[in-house]
Each structure stands twice: as C-alpha cells, then as structure tokens.
Amino acid sequence: MKLTSALAAAALALTSTAFGQSTCSQYSPCYREGYCDSDAMFCLWDLCDPAKSYNATSCWQPEGCTSKTVGFDSSADVVAIRSYAGSPQTNAFLSVFEPNNALVAGGNMVLQMT
C-alpha cells in the first residue's frame, strides 16, 4: 500500500511539474513535436500539446460532428491544412497532406493518388 501511494505521489508530482511549462510565445502559441506556430498544423486538437503551448486555450478544440450536405461547388469546400483557419463552417473538408492532393472540380472532390 505504501509503495502504491509513493508511486502515485511521484507520478502526480511529475505531471504537475510538466504541465504548464510553456515553450511557446503568444505569437506562435501552439506546440507540436518541439516547435511552435499558429496555424492548423500545430493548433488542431490531437496535434497540439496543450501542456507546452502558450496557454490552456491555445490548442483548438474539436468542433464535434454535424450533418451537412456539401455540393463541392466552391474550392473553399476542401482546403489545405496550411490555409485552414479553424472554421468547419467555412471549410467542409481539410486536407492534411502536403502537397495537397485534394481539389474541387466539376462539382466533385477529386483525390489525386501520386
């Protein structure tokens, strides 16, 4: 019992010490894999490390699922991750690949396999 309590206390101490040690500035608030920036490549939920980001709200929160019909009549329906501003209402689909292999043409989303 004492060993378990000691391990739990040590783990809590490590977690408390590590959390909140920001390495990012307010101008590049999101931390990912040793680097800080302010675009979607760094700030999207599950990519961003909130413990090392500028503050607790630096990382973007997931929007949740909604039902939507997309006509693919605008190039804004599919956007490259570097151009994504964090609004799923504006951009229905996000291409996380670089180079971007998705585009809108003739009312369809076209995925290029190269």
Side-chain angles (χ1 to χ4, degrees), residues 44-61:
L44 277 175
W45 70 277
D46 210 33
L47 295 178
C48 184
D49 182 350
K52 294 183 180 177
S53 293
Y54 178 67
N55 63 31
T57 60
S58 295
C59 299
W60 300 348
Q61 297 300 311

Side-chain angles (χ1 to χ4, degrees), residues 80-81 94-102:
I81 193 167
L94 174 63
S95 176
V96 297
F97 300 101
E98 289 187 332
N100 179 13
N101 294 323

